[in-house]
Amino acid sequence: MAHLRCTAVPRVRSYLSASFLRTSTPPATNNGVRYLSTTAALRSSKSFAPHTQIFHEVAPLRKFRRDLLFNYRTVGLVPTMGALHEGHLSLIRQAAAENADVFVSIYVNPTQFGLNEDLASYPKTWETDLRMLNALDRELASVGSGRVSAVFAPSTKTMYPTLPPNSSIPGVGSFIEMRPLGQLLEGASRPVFFRGVATVCMKLFNICAPERVYFGQKDIQQTVVIKRLVKDFHLDTEVRIGPTAREPDGLALSSRNVYLGTRRRNVGIVLNQALRKAEAQYKAGNRKRGDILWPANDHADKVELEQDALGPSKRARFEVDYISLADPETMEELEEVDDSRGAILSGAVKMLPIEEPRAGEELGVGDGKIPVRLIDNIVLDPVILG
Ligand code: AMP
């Protein structure tokens, strides 16, 4: 599973398609930031991109990107839906360490939300996001890292020029689908999700033409889908995966966590706890599905029963959607882990609305009424023999 981890800084790829732009000298580095040029002036990000520029349209962003290309600068793209948190920022830092320029896209993509999902209520925090990006850019400038050079925040009309996007399952429009990969696990519960993700990422990659794209391990099936997209459509970009940023107790950071409130947040750690119990089985040498998964299922069942037994003013009920042990490239369920491939342990739980709030209780955005889907995963690394 080493390929799913953020390990070594990658080689600088020759993204440049025009042969006259190719450089025969090794790529220059400046505090670890990769450039394709050895010209000192071009390495000074201060003189080139002092501030993050905001783009809403494709053409000006393309021109900006082309100018960077002609100046031998590498671009790392971090696609997001905004409501930024430390998980997003860690990906941007990683991108800035490996590229001269970082593009961050902020776009809540409607086609990845099913008709009954939380598109309307998805948190939108544009001003705060920009403040966070500007502060991060200043931090990056001070350490001589790559810069946050562009924020791309398109409208839906820009991203879907031909038709209004359609989220129904038969869906009219131009879409990219991976079958069966996109229909498993998250895709089983959210049938249009990966179609929307793959489609919007194809658009973003075409618009930004990044040398590298950055995704969080937090959404592990999404990373598998994106790797498949790049491979099957021969996209000229490298997929880089950043580790999951977590709260001190292990809860994975997520834009949706603001809806949890204290009571559901405290119980929501059940998923990470369950996965860690399964991981311990793998580390102890177990390879059979039942042996690995039973303590995870057992833990989730126990916590569910404990919560059910509490009164409605005390409990936070949840439903386990899945706890999976899957192949790292296909996401197909495994009966036994092959040491040479490792596996992905992943899970999803739905935190149900708070039934009876207590006076003065901190219920989160939406007053505890919005169900919250939590996902998490642990990569079981291959075992290198001998
Ligand atoms: P989102 O805005 O939720 O679509 O996420 C944008 C990117 O940030 C995706 O690649 C996510 O996997 C990544 N991401 C979200 N949460 C985390 C986290 N806790 N740690 C690392 N990456 C994350």
Side-chain angles (χ1 to χ4, degrees):
M1 278 309 303
H3 65 290
L4 279 171
R5 295 276 194 193
C6 163
T7 49
V9 173
R11 72 205 154 92
V12 171
R13 297 169 56 256
S14 180
Y15 163 83
L16 310 172
S17 51
S19 57
F20 66 89
L21 285 177
R22 288 189 198 280
T23 172
S24 55
T25 50
T29 67
N30 177 15
N31 293 334
V33 183
R34 298 300 175 115
Y35 297 88
L36 296 176
S37 168
T38 53
T39 310
L42 293 176
R43 273 185 261 143
S44 160
S45 49
K46 268 195 181 137
S47 64
F48 196 83
H51 301 294
T52 305
Q53 297 193 44
I54 297 167
F55 296 88
H56 299 290
E57 307 292 339
V58 173
L61 180 63
R62 280 223 164 108
K63 182 182 176 324
F64 183 70
R65 201 277 171 258
R66 212 167 24 247
D67 290 345
L68 296 174
L69 182 63
F70 283 124
N71 285 287
Y72 301 94
R73 297 176 67 96
T74 53
V75 167
L77 170 67
V78 184
T80 82
M81 298 206 297
L84 301 181
H85 52 67
E86 189 50 42
H88 300 112
L89 301 190
S90 67
L91 283 181
I92 298 170
R93 284 195 189 91
Q94 185 185 345
E98 297 173 359
N99 300 275
D101 295 277
V102 180
F103 288 10
V104 178
S105 63
I106 297 185
Y107 177 61
V108 182
N109 173 38
T111 64
Q112 69 193 62
F113 289 80
L115 295 174
N116 303 321
E117 290 180 32
D118 59 348
L119 172 61
S121 66
Y122 195 84
K124 293 169 194 79
T125 56
W126 172 247
E127 300 292 335
T128 316
D129 290 348
L130 282 191
R131 270 200 297 280
M132 288 169 81
L133 290 175
N134 283 327
L136 177 58
D137 185 53
R138 281 196 297 279
E139 173 198 311
L140 295 171
S142 71
V143 297
S145 195
R147 300 291 294 271
V148 182
S149 304
V151 171
F152 181 45
S155 68
T156 288
K157 178 73 190 139
T158 296
M159 288 304 273
Y160 293 86
T162 305
L163 293 164
N166 185 320
S167 288
S168 69
I169 292 170
V172 176
S174 310
F175 295 116
I176 295 189
E177 282 197 82
M178 278 115 194
R179 294 166 184 264
L181 171 59
Q183 300 166 307
L184 306 172
L185 298 170
E186 284 301 291
S189 301
R190 308 179 67 191
V192 298
F193 179 63
F194 288 116
R195 182 181 74 180
V197 167
T199 301
V200 80
C201 285
M202 176 68 109
K203 290 166 188 265
L204 290 170
F205 297 179
N206 284 336
I207 293 165
C208 300
E211 269 84 11
R212 303 183 188 88
V213 291
Y214 292 80
F215 289 85
Q217 188 191 316
K218 149 88 176 5
D219 299 280
I220 192 122
Q221 193 177 0
Q222 175 168 274
T223 68
V224 177
V225 163
I226 298 299
K227 280 171 184 254
R228 182 76 64 84
L229 177 78
V230 166
K231 179 179 167 201
D232 284 356
F233 292 90
H234 299 279
L235 303 184
D236 193 12
T237 196
E238 179 180 0
V239 182
R240 304 281 294 143
I241 313 298
T244 304
R246 298 179 181 279
E247 302 277 7
D249 67 351
L251 184 76
L253 300 188
S254 164
S255 304
R256 290 187 171 92
N257 288 358
V258 295
Y259 297 120
L260 285 172
T262 309
R263 200 193 310 181
R264 291 192 294 177
R265 187 253 168 270
N266 290 341
V267 176
I269 192 61
V270 61
L271 176 58
N272 182 255
Q273 289 169 338
L275 295 178
R276 279 192 278 152
K277 285 180 189 293
E279 180 193 30
Q281 295 292 311
Y282 180 73
K283 286 188 166 161
N286 291 303
R287 296 293 177 264
K288 296 229 183 306
R289 178 183 187 82
D291 294 340
I292 293 174
L293 289 186
W294 80 261
N297 288 315
D298 185 55
H299 180 70
D301 287 349
K302 277 190 182 136
V303 176
E304 213 173 333
L305 287 174
E306 275 165 25
Q307 290 298 311
D308 286 351
L310 297 172
S313 67
K314 293 214 175 110
R315 67 189 171 201
R317 301 180 89 178
F318 63 89
E319 287 166 0
V320 176
D321 185 358
Y322 62 83
I323 293 182
S324 156
L325 178 72
D327 179 85
E329 281 175 33
T330 66
M331 299 302 286
E332 307 265 8
E333 293 302 310
L334 294 173
E335 284 310 313
E336 188 166 356
V337 181
D338 175 344
D339 272 349
S340 68
R341 291 180 67 77
I344 292 172
L345 269 172
S346 65
V349 300
K350 183 166 154 191
M351 302 303 299
L352 300 174
I354 292 290
E355 298 155 280
E356 198 179 302
R358 293 192 299 270
E361 184 177 0
E362 194 279 301
L363 294 165
V365 174
D367 296 329
K369 293 182 185 144
I370 300 174
V372 184
R373 185 178 176 82
L374 300 177
I375 60 171
D376 203 348
N377 68 83
I378 294 175
V379 172
L380 302 181
D381 286 322
V383 176
I384 294 144
L385 300 170

